Amino acid sequence: MIKEILADLVRIDSVSSRSNVEIVEYLEQRCEALGLITRRLPYSDELEIEKVNLIALTRDVTEVELALVGHTDTVPYDPNWSEATNLTERDGKLFGRGSCDTKGFIAAALTALENVKPNKPLALIFTADEEIGLRGAKQLAQLKPLQVRYSIVGEPTSLKPIRAGKGYSLAEVIVKGREAHSAYPALGASAVFRAARLINRLESIATELRDDQHPAFDPPYTTLNIGLINGGSAKNVLAGECRFTLEWRPIPTQPSDHLLNLFKAAIEEVTKADPGFQCEVDASRQDTGFETSPDSPLIKLLERASGKESGTVAFGTEAAQMMLLDSESVVIGPGDIREAHRTGEFVPVDELERCAEILRQSIQQLCS
Ligand SMILES: [Zn+2]
């Protein structure tokens, strides 16, 4: 029963900082009971903790028609939240960490497979480390253990099919200056003033980016943000260094290095006016977005099954990595993204059950 599976999944603490082997063992048993063949794809994370992507297949093949994809990890929870690992039903809602992000989808996928026999090959894909930079999915995209025609990626969307998502990029910028007593500014160069000049340029770039529009998104263009800035050592010292983080969310129709190229041109201009200008850019993340045509059979099918028109999201999902496995992708799942990651996370029971039925219909139609 779907609620029991979800309760089992929530009981297993699978916060991203821990190994996910325990939840993988549980999923293996469930999948084997359904007659699926399971394959572990382990890797070590940065702290040498064992993480596993699990693939379960209806047949021993490397090409599948449909994959249902859910991440096994969750964000951390407040230790005082007693329901976090003890799924609790109240007012038609199931409370617990991961109930909507994304264990509810996993429970629905397992339940769907109990009620339908796919003819064409199907895979369940359970990933690790989604919440800390889609690392498990990136590992899969690199290894390419499967070719997938269609994939349904679980994330809380209140059962609205999502056919496109913006990418996610991050860079750390370190601007160098020369320290000096602030009474004698000519003896040094302030890294804070230098950073400010560069940030002014970035604000202009942000405005420029509005011209390249993708009407399916809200807002319909690439956005950027400088969320953190830190510089200088004392009020009466010219700052020797200033660091800031630059984050941007590119629309999927824009080349992934577009903003970085604009930024590099801005650095060159600033350097022309100030030959001593020095800065390092460490672009640590460049997650691509994804887009599936509204005319894709996958999107049409999910719009029919859910009764909702497809839409887009402005955050990153594993759908982008699934595209790298040659797949047309859609994101859908029970629960509301605004409830995810909070104390008191829940999934509505009726959405959970409807999700299992939507997935059952999808398997029936795509794999018959
Ligand atoms: Zn999630």
Side-chain angles (χ1 to χ4, degrees), residues 191-209:
V192 168
F193 276 137
R194 283 179 167 170
R197 262 176 250 142
L198 198 54
I199 289 169
N200 258 330
R201 300 272 175 168
L202 280 166
E203 204 176 1
S204 307
I205 289 173
T207 310
E208 204 178 304
L209 288 170

Side-chain angles (χ1 to χ4, degrees), residues 24 55 65 73 129 167 186 206 235 244 253 302 332 356:
V24 162
I55 298 178
E65 190 70 13
D73 62 319
D129 290 340
K235 65 180 185 299
F244 62 89
T253 37
L302 280 155
I332 191 168

Side-chain angles (χ1 to χ4, degrees), residues 294-315:
D295 301 324
S296 158
L298 178 69
I299 304 300
K300 293 274 176 232
L301 162 61
L302 280 155
E303 285 184 334
R304 261 197 320 275
S306 67
K308 293 186 180 189
E309 207 188 320
S310 62
T312 65
V313 288
F315 50 84

Side-chain angles (χ1 to χ4, degrees), residues 71 73 100-102 130-131 154-156 318 337 340-341:
H71 63 86
D73 62 319
C100 84
D101 191 4
T102 284
E130 189 271 349
E131 298 288 1
E155 274 296 309
E318 294 173 314
I337 189 75
H341 298 202

